[in-house]
Amino acid sequence: MNIRSQFPILDQKIYNKPLVYFDNAATTQKPKSVIDALCNYYLTLNSNIHRGTHHLAAEATDRYEQTRRAVQSFIGARHSHEIVFTRGTTESINLVASSFGNRFLHQGDEVIVSAMEHHSNIVPWQLSCERHGATLRVIPFNDDGVLDIEAFKTLLNDKTRIVAVNHVSNTLGTINPIAEIINISHQAGVPVLIDGAQAISHMAVDVQQLGCDFYCFSGHKMYGPMGVGVLYGREELLEEMPPYQGGGEMIKDVTFEKTTYNELPFKFEAGTPSVGDVLGLHAAIDFMNATGIETIASIEAELTQYATESLQTIENLRIYGTAPQKTSVISFLIGESHPYDVGTLLDKFGIAVRTGHHCTQPIMDRFGIPGTVRASFAVYNTKEEIDALTAALQRIAPMLA
Ligand code: PLP
């Protein structure tokens, strides 16, 4: 089936121009199968899971747990109970920063992140470090947006308790050498959390092959619904970590004297989850499997190369993030113009891009810029759309000079 025709939202006009959606790093559009899964859940299945004896509750529970196994196989986890459903990457990282921190972080300890993290892989660690008297250390990157692995090795020491880095930078598109980072960290006995928010829709991820201890991602950035995400955690670590939130479902027994906790993964899933969104995530995984991750990666690589070459024909356009290994993200500025002005003008051509610091202020500080314009591509984008972006920028650039 034609890929693009599965995305009804793309078939519309904005200001009487065909919509060109290049804000995929913020959120991807959803195929009809995902939208149908959400509708069908509310039309035919809505009920609370795990607690009911009636048919709907049993069926919804079954489908919810089937999705857990689909995620397990999608990312190659050893056990399905290593898959915890969350609201998204942000909640997954907060869960680990809080719970791992409560168990393993003490006064004088250190946590390593990189200078190209999204704020959601910085601030939760800052909060946890503050709480426990630990210090955050930062891996720098060079002008191309490549992490300095030698600097990382010097940061790693016997006070390091965890390393938390992204698989792919949402602003620079850099694919980080996470296998190497994991290897180096493990040699020092340090666990690693990978923020996979920007990798999961672009490449095959196998958590056992990578050997990471935690891997986090969001459904809405992989053609799935908003409101659902995943934390993969290695069983041994999840077992040792205390609950993140208290409430229904996460307990075994409650008395006023003492509460005992449920087994994995339920210990980390307090309260009613977003069941419909979880089932929508299953449909998104089915969409990605049916399309094929190799097909997705090769379409996006071709679009990225084409766009990089096309955009370089625009006078005074500078690209930020020129690492040799990149996904389909292009951040740029034109001359001295402000990114908001470029984004606002592009919108008038029906072209959706993101502007600003993209929740990565330390990257902007590193380059001494207020923000960038970011065009990011997904499997349904086309070269004709990139031509439309290039033509619009050619019109806009002289206005901004
Ligand atoms: N990490 C990265 C690299 C991201 O790009 C994003 C979102 O843009 C996040 C984390 C946060 O994801 P969410 O807002 O879905 O929790």
Side-chain angles (χ1 to χ4, degrees):
M1 192 177 176
N2 177 292
I3 294 172
R4 193 177 169 95
S5 66
Q6 297 178 55
F7 292 83
I9 199 171
L10 297 174
D11 191 19
Q12 63 176 302
K13 292 198 166 161
I14 305 288
Y15 306 119
N16 219 20
K17 309 220 165 41
L19 166 65
V20 173
Y21 186 78
F22 284 162
D23 196 16
N24 294 289
T27 196
T28 56
Q29 297 302 347
K30 326 301 173 199
K32 180 125 186 331
S33 57
V34 168
I35 300 165
D36 286 345
L38 286 172
C39 286
N40 286 338
Y41 170 72
Y42 286 108
L43 285 171
T44 66
L45 210 55
N46 178 51
S47 68
N48 211 329
I49 54 166
H50 291 141
R51 279 162 265 207
T53 46
H54 60 83
H55 175 80
L56 288 187
E59 183 66 21
T61 303
D62 234 33
R63 301 279 265 297
Y64 184 87
E65 291 306 324
Q66 273 169 26
T67 306
R68 201 187 302 279
R69 291 191 290 279
V71 173
Q72 176 198 358
S73 121
F74 190 62
I75 62 168
R78 191 183 302 275
H79 306 291
S80 63
H81 58 253
E82 294 178 316
I83 306 300
V84 177
F85 288 120
T86 63
R87 283 190 300 126
T89 309
T90 302
E91 191 175 55
S92 299
I93 298 173
N94 273 279
L95 189 163
V96 179
S98 171
S99 172
F100 179 95
N102 283 343
R103 171 69 182 80
F104 293 108
L105 276 187
H106 300 100
Q107 182 77 31
D109 287 345
E110 295 182 358
V111 170
I112 298 179
V113 297
S114 90
M116 65 168 83
E117 297 310 311
H118 188 280
H119 295 163
S120 60
N121 200 25
I122 299 174
V123 185
W125 296 110
Q126 283 176 324
L127 290 169
S128 193
C129 282
E130 254 171 49
R131 205 173 303 131
H132 300 288
T135 306
L136 201 63
R137 310 292 302 275
V138 184
I139 312 167
F141 61 84
N142 71 14
D143 288 345
D144 287 323
V146 174
L147 284 182
D148 183 342
I149 296 297
E150 290 313 308
F152 166 56
K153 288 179 188 163
T154 66
L155 289 174
L156 202 59
N157 63 48
D158 60 7
K159 288 181 279 186
T160 314
R161 290 294 159 263
I162 190 163
V163 173
V165 291
N166 59 32
H167 195 164
V168 169
S169 158
N170 61 309
T171 298
L172 305 171
T174 309
I175 302 174
N176 286 314
I178 57 164
E180 189 183 358
I181 291 172
I182 292 163
N183 224 342
I184 295 167
S185 305
H186 283 180
Q187 277 170 23
V190 176
V192 181
L193 174 142
I194 302 294
D195 169 357
Q198 294 293 339
I200 196 74
S201 71
H202 303 294
M203 61 193 72
V205 170
D206 185 318
V207 292
Q208 283 192 75
Q209 207 171 9
L210 285 169
C212 57
D213 301 277
F214 301 101
Y215 197 97
C216 310
F217 56 95
S218 303
H220 72 95
K221 290 183 196 286
M222 52 175 292
Y223 308 103
M226 291 188 175
V228 58
V230 169
L231 166 66
Y232 157 79
R234 211 156 45 73
E235 180 186 41
E236 296 75 9
L237 280 169
L238 290 181
E239 287 287 9
E240 281 207 55
M241 286 158 47
Y244 172 52
Q245 293 182 324
E249 197 58 40
M250 51 73 71
I251 52 90
K252 191 177 275 165
D253 274 305
V254 179
T255 65
F256 284 110
E257 289 68 43
K258 184 173 169 56
T259 291
T260 52
Y261 306 124
N262 206 339
E263 59 197 20
L264 292 177
F266 310 111
K267 179 172 89 173
F268 291 110
E269 291 183 4
T272 301
S274 197
V275 182
D277 296 320
V278 168
L279 302 198
L281 177 64
H282 198 164
I285 290 173
D286 288 344
F287 164 77
M288 286 189 65
N289 284 336
T291 308
I293 194 74
E294 288 80 17
T295 305
I296 293 173
S298 88
I299 290 172
E300 291 177 348
E302 204 175 321
L303 290 172
T304 307
Q305 194 187 341
Y306 185 71
T308 306
E309 286 163 11
S310 304
L311 293 188
Q312 275 163 346
T313 63
I314 312 282
E315 212 172 320
N316 289 329
L317 185 145
R318 300 182 303 284
I319 292 178
Y320 292 86
T322 47
Q325 304 293 326
K326 274 189 70 171
T327 56
S328 49
V329 168
I330 302 183
S331 265
F332 63 91
L333 285 176
I334 301 178
E336 298 304 308
S337 61
H338 197 279
Y340 289 126
D341 294 337
V342 179
T344 306
L345 289 168
L346 283 176
D347 177 55
K348 300 292 175 270
F349 289 82
I351 301 173
V353 293
R354 185 133 301 233
T355 60
H357 55 59
H358 318 300
C359 299
T360 55
Q361 279 186 335
I363 294 184
M364 303 308 149
D365 293 345
R366 163 70 176 71
F367 286 116
I369 54 177
T372 70
V373 183
R374 184 184 70 185
S376 51
F377 315 118
V379 67
Y380 42 66
N381 288 127
T382 65
K383 286 186 177 170
E384 290 70 35
E385 291 180 306
I386 289 167
D387 291 341
L389 172 67
T390 311
L393 287 174
Q394 261 152 0
R395 294 265 308 275
I396 289 169
M399 296 183 211
L400 296 166

